[in-house]
Amino acid sequence: MLTDTAIKKAKPKDKAYKLGDAGGLYLFVMPSGYRSWRMKFRFAGKEKRLVFGSYPDTTLLQARAMRENAAKLLRDGVDPSVHKVQQAAAQVARVGATFKTIAEDWLVSQDATWSKRYAQNVKNSFVQDVYPKLGHLPIDAITTPLVLKVLRPVEERGAIETAHRIRQRISEVFARAIGSGIVAADPAAVAQRALSPIKRGKQPAVRTVEAARIVLRKVEEQPAHPLTKLASRFLSLTAVRSGVLRMAEPKEFEGLGGPEPIWRIPAAKMKLVVDQKEDAAFEFIVPLSRQAVETITVAMDFSGKGPLIFRSVRHPRRPLSDSTLSKAYREAGFTGLHVPHGWRSTFSTVMNELAGVESRVGDRAIIDLMLAHVPSNSVEAAYNRAAYMPRRRELAQEWADLLVQELAPLESLLTGLRQHA
């Protein structure tokens, strides 16, 4: 075995030569005087060599430690020369690899499969909740407690499901980093067990038209901005998803002064897969009752000339927030009993029971269609949209006539007690 004294005495010769140690390790001496530590080994039946570093920058003791590490890799069935290349690539990848840089790279990679609106929602969740705490940190320095520092405040504001979604997105970023060799594990995976469980089940909703009238009346009696009250009433009349309503634009409404008024919702705004969102045949047409026309007309007049009808008062180019609508229902006393999204369930329950009592068997499929439960192909979607429109319009009017009985006139929603939207 080599000694430090023997190494120091090794002089360059006309040809390169080796000074052997043990276990395949040797010092390679060049005619120029340059000396480097190398290891000879066999992998998959082939003789290979591995370079550890130069001498004296790498000492004999360090070279022997590197040899032992390489020997362990061989015992585990790993080629140490390939492992070295992988480690070097990972080291390069780690330079400047903050959580934000990897997250932005992951977001770009999803462009082909996500709708623009969903992509923006995901990015907003990072900008608002994740980047302030993790964005600037090297991704390999992030631990589970740091991930939980992001998620706990989201939980504390009551957004349990949102906290779980953000955790899942953080895990996706770490999966990309693992695939690039930058990190070895996902600290967000363990955080899932530390979060409050999601309460599964249908959205709370009243089941009779009498109870529905009480909900609307009490919500409209609470102090709230007029646009919040108008949004609540229009949501109940149309039974659309609240996200679609909040993004409603004046240009989507047609024939409001005629006999067949409609709301033409672009496919891009509907709850569809990406391919369907890009197919105009999947746009959704809502036939508007007389009361719905009156409500949306008042809302458009009140809202002004902005791009959105149900806009935020503080940020006119942003939509009314979903939490604003939900808060109005909570403050009216309907926590656990009815939420804005519950109007879809209420509409379905009331109208299906009415169809059953009056033996209108064919109405059941049409009611389902009115809730935007679309067919699987664009041809069928386009056919049903046209074929059932007359009956859908009749059912929409029947529902509105049942719902608005004893409600305050629309004008009162503009003059009642206010809170900002």
Side-chain angles (χ1 to χ4, degrees):
M1 295 177 64
L2 282 175
T3 63
D4 284 319
T5 301
I7 296 169
K8 290 176 182 177
K9 289 181 178 180
K11 303 297 182 181
K13 300 179 180 179
D14 292 341
K15 293 183 179 180
Y17 67 96
K18 305 174 187 176
L19 291 176
D21 188 53
L25 178 67
Y26 61 90
L27 184 71
F28 190 68
V29 184
M30 300 282 287
S32 64
Y34 179 79
R35 294 170 286 184
S36 62
W37 292 108
R38 303 186 181 190
M39 176 183 175
K40 182 173 70 174
F41 65 95
R42 296 188 71 85
F43 188 83
K46 295 182 179 180
E47 184 174 294
K48 305 185 78 173
R49 284 172 174 75
L50 186 64
V51 178
F52 290 139
S54 64
Y55 179 87
D57 293 334
T58 302
T59 66
L60 173 61
L61 193 62
Q62 290 170 332
R64 286 172 175 169
M66 293 177 183
R67 177 195 60 198
E68 291 307 312
N69 289 335
K72 182 179 184 304
L73 288 171
L74 284 169
R75 290 194 295 272
D76 293 338
V78 177
D79 184 339
S81 62
V82 173
H83 180 74
K84 181 180 179 182
V85 173
Q86 292 171 337
Q87 292 295 100
Q91 184 64 36
V92 171
R94 275 193 290 270
V95 176
T98 64
F99 180 87
K100 184 176 181 179
T101 60
I102 305 301
E104 294 292 313
D105 183 51
W106 173 67
L107 288 168
V108 170
S109 75
Q110 302 303 308
D111 279 347
T113 56
W114 288 352
S115 69
K116 290 182 179 179
R117 183 180 173 192
Y118 181 72
Q120 190 60 50
N121 286 342
V122 174
K123 184 164 187 176
N124 287 345
S125 71
F126 277 131
V127 171
Q128 294 169 11
D129 295 309
V130 185
Y131 289 165
K133 292 184 175 68
L134 301 183
H136 63 289
L137 296 177
I139 194 165
D140 58 353
I142 294 173
T143 61
T144 299
L146 287 173
V147 173
L148 287 173
K149 282 188 176 182
V150 170
L151 302 177
R152 290 297 185 216
V154 181
E155 273 192 321
E156 288 167 4
R157 66 178 189 242
I160 305 299
E161 193 164 353
T162 299
H164 280 267
R165 282 198 296 267
I166 291 174
R167 186 215 62 79
Q168 186 176 16
R169 291 164 186 169
I170 293 173
S171 277
E172 293 288 348
V173 174
F174 272 97
R176 192 163 185 85
I178 291 169
S180 301
I182 300 172
V183 298
D186 170 18
V190 180
Q192 182 176 10
R193 298 181 182 180
L195 294 176
S196 302
I198 299 172
K199 295 181 180 179
R200 299 294 183 183
K202 294 183 177 179
Q203 298 277 13
V206 296
R207 302 182 63 82
T208 68
V209 72
E210 292 80 12
R213 292 174 192 150
I214 293 172
V215 170
L216 268 182
R217 186 172 69 249
K218 288 192 174 182
V219 168
E220 293 176 359
E221 288 172 352
Q222 290 294 310
H225 192 274
L227 284 176
T228 304
K229 297 182 182 182
L230 289 166
S232 171
R233 185 175 291 198
F234 193 65
L235 188 65
S236 69
L237 288 166
T238 57
V240 297
R241 292 182 174 88
S242 58
V244 171
L245 174 133
R246 294 186 300 107
M247 298 301 295
E249 301 175 64
K251 65 183 180 183
E252 296 168 2
F253 294 86
E254 302 173 13
L256 296 183
E260 297 181 346
I262 61 170
W263 177 12
R264 190 185 300 274
I265 304 172
K269 291 186 178 181
M270 297 300 293
K271 188 177 182 180
L272 301 166
V273 297
V274 173
D275 288 347
Q276 291 174 342
K277 284 178 176 287
E278 296 173 354
D279 188 343
F282 284 93
E283 68 180 6
F284 189 68
I285 296 179
V286 180
L288 299 175
S289 64
R290 182 182 67 257
Q291 295 89 339
V293 170
E294 293 169 354
T295 304
I296 198 63
T297 300
V298 170
M300 285 193 287
D301 289 343
F302 183 87
S303 187
K305 297 181 179 180
L308 299 174
I309 299 172
F310 299 106
R311 56 174 174 74
S312 166
V313 173
R314 294 186 179 89
H315 307 283
R317 300 190 69 83
R318 296 182 189 175
L320 178 75
S321 75
D322 197 33
S323 60
T324 297
L325 271 177
S326 298
K327 180 183 177 185
Y329 281 65
R330 290 196 304 271
E331 292 184 345
F334 295 108
T335 301
L337 299 175
H338 194 88
V339 294
H341 193 77
W343 285 117
R344 295 170 58 75
S345 179
T346 303
F347 168 79
S348 178
T349 300
V350 171
M351 298 307 289
N352 272 303
E353 287 183 359
L354 188 59
V357 169
E358 299 187 3
S359 300
R360 302 183 328 213
V361 179
D363 279 356
R364 294 189 180 277
I366 299 175
I367 291 167
D368 199 44
L369 180 63
M370 293 175 74
L371 293 170
H373 297 159
V374 299
S376 59
N377 66 78
S378 58
V379 174
E380 189 178 356
Y383 171 78
N384 287 349
R385 182 181 66 195
Y388 298 119
M389 184 57 70
R391 185 57 184 154
R392 287 176 61 196
R393 187 174 296 282
E394 291 172 356
L395 291 176
Q397 189 59 58
E398 184 175 28
W399 165 248
D401 290 340
L402 290 170
L403 187 63
V404 301
Q405 292 179 22
E406 303 173 3
L407 285 184
L410 277 170
E411 292 72 18
S412 68
L413 304 186
L414 305 179
T415 58
L417 295 174
R418 288 196 181 192
Q419 283 183 352
H420 288 303

